[in-house]
Coordinates of all heavy atoms in Angstrom, one line a residue:
Y1 N 19.0 154.0 101.5 CA 20.4 154.4 101.6 C 20.5 155.9 101.4 O 19.9 156.4 100.5 CB 21.3 153.7 100.6 CG 21.4 152.2 100.8 CD1 20.5 151.3 100.3 CD2 22.4 151.7 101.6 CE1 20.6 149.9 100.5 CE2 22.6 150.3 101.8 CZ 21.6 149.4 101.3 OH 21.7 148.1 101.5
S2 N 21.3 156.6 102.2 CA 21.4 158.1 102.0 C 22.3 158.4 100.8 O 23.1 157.5 100.3 CB 22.0 158.7 103.3 OG 23.4 158.2 103.4
K3 N 22.3 159.6 100.4 CA 23.2 160.1 99.3 C 24.6 159.9 99.6 O 25.5 159.6 98.8 CB 22.9 161.5 98.9 CG 21.5 161.7 98.3 CD 21.4 161.3 96.9 CE 20.1 161.5 96.3 NZ 19.9 160.9 95.0
G4 N 25.0 160.2 100.9 CA 26.3 160.1 101.4 C 26.9 158.7 101.2 O 28.0 158.4 100.8
S5 N 26.0 157.7 101.6 CA 26.4 156.3 101.5 C 26.6 155.9 100.0 O 27.5 155.1 99.7 CB 25.5 155.4 102.2 OG 24.2 155.4 101.6
Q6 N 25.8 156.4 99.2 CA 25.9 156.1 97.7 C 27.2 156.7 97.2 O 27.9 156.0 96.4 CB 24.7 156.7 97.0 CG 23.4 156.0 97.3 CD 22.2 156.8 96.6 OE1 22.4 157.6 95.8 NE2 21.0 156.4 97.1
K7 N 27.6 157.8 97.7 CA 28.8 158.5 97.2 C 30.0 157.7 97.7 O 31.0 157.5 96.9 CB 28.9 159.9 97.8 CG 30.0 160.7 97.1 CD 30.0 162.1 97.7 CE 29.1 163.0 96.9 NZ 29.2 164.4 97.2
E8 N 30.0 157.2 98.9 CA 31.1 156.3 99.4 C 31.3 155.1 98.6 O 32.4 154.7 98.3 CB 30.8 155.9 100.9 CG 31.0 157.0 101.9 CD 32.4 157.3 102.2 OE1 33.3 156.6 101.8 OE2 32.7 158.3 102.8
V9 N 30.1 154.4 98.3 CA 30.2 153.2 97.5 C 30.7 153.5 96.1 O 31.6 152.8 95.5 CB 28.8 152.5 97.4 CG1 28.9 151.3 96.4 CG2 28.4 152.0 98.8
K10 N 30.3 154.6 95.5 CA 30.7 155.0 94.2 C 32.2 155.3 94.2 O 32.9 154.8 93.3 CB 30.0 156.3 93.8 CG 30.4 156.8 92.4 CD 29.6 158.1 92.0 CE 30.0 158.6 90.7 NZ 29.4 159.8 90.4
N11 N 32.7 155.9 95.2 CA 34.2 156.2 95.3 C 35.0 154.9 95.4 O 36.0 154.8 94.8 CB 34.5 157.1 96.5 CG 34.0 158.5 96.2 OD1 33.8 158.9 95.1 ND2 33.8 159.3 97.3
E12 N 34.5 154.0 96.3 CA 35.2 152.7 96.5 C 35.2 151.9 95.2 O 36.2 151.3 94.8 CB 34.5 151.9 97.6 CG 35.3 150.7 98.0 CD 36.7 151.1 98.6 OE1 36.8 152.1 99.2 OE2 37.6 150.3 98.3
M13 N 34.1 151.9 94.4 CA 34.0 151.2 93.1 C 35.0 151.8 92.1 O 35.7 151.1 91.4 CB 32.6 151.2 92.6 CG 31.6 150.4 93.3 SD 32.1 148.6 93.4 CE 32.1 148.1 91.7
H14 N 35.2 153.1 92.2 CA 36.1 153.8 91.3 C 37.5 153.3 91.6 O 38.3 153.0 90.7 CB 36.0 155.3 91.6 CG 36.8 156.1 90.6 ND1 36.4 156.4 89.3 CD2 38.0 156.7 90.8 CE1 37.4 157.2 88.7 NE2 38.3 157.4 89.6
R15 N 37.9 153.3 92.9 CA 39.2 152.8 93.4 C 39.4 151.3 92.9 O 40.4 150.9 92.5 CB 39.4 152.9 94.9 CG 39.7 154.3 95.3 CD 40.2 154.4 96.7 NE 39.1 154.0 97.7 CZ 38.3 154.9 98.2 NH1 38.4 156.2 97.9 NH2 37.4 154.6 99.1
Y16 N 38.3 150.5 93.1 CA 38.4 149.1 92.8 C 38.7 148.9 91.3 O 39.5 148.1 90.9 CB 37.1 148.4 93.1 CG 36.8 147.0 92.5 CD1 37.6 145.9 92.9 CD2 35.9 146.9 91.5 CE1 37.4 144.7 92.3 CE2 35.7 145.6 90.9 CZ 36.4 144.5 91.3 OH 36.3 143.3 90.7
K17 N 38.0 149.7 90.4 CA 38.1 149.5 89.0 C 39.5 149.9 88.5 O 40.0 149.5 87.5 CB 37.1 150.3 88.3 CG 35.7 149.7 88.3 CD 34.7 150.5 87.6 CE 33.3 149.9 87.8 NZ 32.3 150.7 87.1
R18 N 40.2 150.9 89.3 CA 41.5 151.3 89.0 C 42.6 150.4 89.6 O 43.8 150.7 89.4 CB 41.7 152.8 89.4 CG 40.7 153.8 88.9 CD 40.9 154.1 87.5 NE 39.9 155.0 86.9 CZ 38.7 154.8 86.6 NH1 38.1 153.6 86.9 NH2 37.9 155.6 86.1
G19 N 42.1 149.4 90.4 CA 43.1 148.5 91.1 C 43.7 149.1 92.3 O 44.8 148.6 92.7
K20 N 43.1 150.2 92.9 CA 43.8 150.9 94.0 C 43.1 150.5 95.3 O 43.6 150.9 96.4 CB 43.7 152.4 93.8 CG 44.3 152.9 92.6 CD 45.8 152.8 92.7 CE 46.4 153.4 91.4 NZ 47.8 153.2 91.3
A21 N 42.0 149.8 95.3 CA 41.2 149.4 96.5 C 42.0 148.4 97.4 O 42.5 147.4 96.8 CB 39.8 148.9 96.2
K22 N 42.1 148.7 98.7 CA 42.7 147.8 99.6 C 41.8 147.4 100.7 O 40.9 148.2 101.1 CB 44.0 148.4 100.2 CG 45.0 148.9 99.2 CD 46.0 147.8 98.9 CE 47.0 148.3 97.9 NZ 48.3 147.9 98.1
S23 N 41.9 146.2 101.2 CA 41.1 145.8 102.3 C 41.9 145.7 103.6 O 43.1 145.7 103.5 CB 40.4 144.4 102.1 OG 41.5 143.4 101.9
G24 N 41.3 145.7 104.7 CA 42.0 145.5 106.0 C 42.2 146.9 106.7 O 41.8 147.9 106.2
K25 N 42.7 146.8 107.9 CA 42.9 147.9 108.7 C 43.8 149.0 108.1 O 45.0 148.7 107.7 CB 43.5 147.5 110.1 CG 43.5 148.5 111.1 CD 42.8 148.1 112.3 CE 42.8 149.2 113.4 NZ 41.7 149.2 114.2
G26 N 43.3 150.2 107.9 CA 44.1 151.2 107.3 C 44.5 151.0 105.9 O 45.4 151.7 105.4
G27 N 43.8 150.1 105.2 CA 44.2 149.8 103.8 C 45.5 149.1 103.6 O 46.0 149.1 102.5
K28 N 46.0 148.4 104.7 CA 47.2 147.7 104.6 C 47.1 146.3 104.1 O 48.0 145.6 103.8 CB 47.9 147.7 106.0 CG 48.3 149.1 106.5 CD 48.9 149.0 107.8 CE 49.2 150.4 108.4 NZ 49.7 150.3 109.8
G29 N 45.8 145.9 104.0 CA 45.6 144.5 103.6 C 45.8 144.3 102.1 O 46.4 145.1 101.4
G30 N 45.3 143.2 101.6 CA 45.5 142.8 100.2 C 44.6 143.6 99.3 O 43.8 144.4 99.7
K31 N 44.8 143.3 98.0 CA 44.0 144.0 97.0 C 42.6 143.4 97.0 O 42.4 142.2 97.3 CB 44.6 143.6 95.6 CG 44.8 144.8 94.7 CD 45.3 144.4 93.4 CE 46.2 145.4 92.8 NZ 46.7 145.1 91.5
V32 N 41.6 144.3 96.7 CA 40.2 143.9 96.7 C 40.0 143.2 95.3 O 40.3 143.7 94.3 CB 39.3 145.1 96.8 CG1 37.8 144.7 96.6 CG2 39.5 145.7 98.2

């Protein structure tokens, strides 16, 4: 895995832990 992909996952985990991560097209879906 490249450093860029690691950074993307890290950012998404940060959003998930704060309760801000959304799934679906354009983030319009439900909470992760």
Side-chain angles (χ1 to χ4, degrees):
Y1 293 89
S2 67
K3 293 284 181 190
S5 65
Q6 291 172 14
K7 192 178 272 190
E8 285 284 349
V9 172
K10 181 180 177 184
N11 290 339
E12 191 60 37
M13 288 304 293
H14 186 81
R15 283 194 289 270
Y16 164 69
K17 287 179 181 179
R18 305 291 177 284
K20 303 287 183 191
K22 301 271 179 139
S23 63
K25 189 122 179 153
K28 294 177 184 174
K31 232 183 210 185
V32 174

